[in-house]
Amino acid sequence: MIVRLMGEGQYEIDKKHLDEMNRIDNNIVKLVTKGDDRAYKSEFKKLTDYVHRNGKKIPDNVLKPSDIIIPPADLTLDEAREIFKGDGLIPG
């Protein structure tokens, strides 16, 4: 599975990590809905850190179709409200 971290590039990550990524994604949806900016930023960092830890960076000169696109790290709470709703970034 290919995950794009906007502003950083693409990472190849095994599908076995999808459940944990989805759990974090669902937590982000809840925090954004509550309007808890500090907790949202912390959970969003967990998601990007998880991809960094468990994914393999794809060289920048290689472009593959992304299965999941994660917004840039400087995403504001207001911007996140438009993205992290319903199922969030990861369906399920």
Side-chain angles (χ1 to χ4, degrees), residues 7-91:
E8 293 187 41
Q10 292 182 301
Y11 291 77
E12 190 165 2
I13 191 165
D14 193 286
K15 287 186 179 186
K16 70 182 182 182
H17 297 287
L18 189 58
D19 285 343
E20 179 60 15
M21 290 175 58
N22 190 35
R23 186 191 68 72
I24 297 168
D25 180 52
N26 289 337
N27 285 341
I28 293 170
V29 170
K30 290 175 190 172
L31 295 167
V32 166
T33 301
K34 286 182 183 179
D36 189 338
D37 187 54
R38 190 161 67 156
Y40 146 69
K41 287 179 180 173
S42 174
E43 200 70 10
F44 187 80
K45 184 171 178 355
K46 283 183 191 176
L47 182 59
T48 58
D49 287 349
Y50 191 87
V51 173
H52 288 140
R53 246 187 350 269
N54 296 289
K56 179 183 176 192
K57 177 89 164 86
I58 297 172
D60 290 335
N61 64 340
V62 176
L63 184 61
K64 297 183 176 192
S66 299
D67 298 296
I68 299 170
I69 300 173
I70 298 176
D74 63 352
L75 189 73
T76 67
L77 182 63
D78 287 336
E79 292 168 330
R81 284 189 179 107
E82 298 300 315
I83 297 169
F84 291 97
K85 54 187 173 185
D87 280 343
L89 299 175
I90 304 166

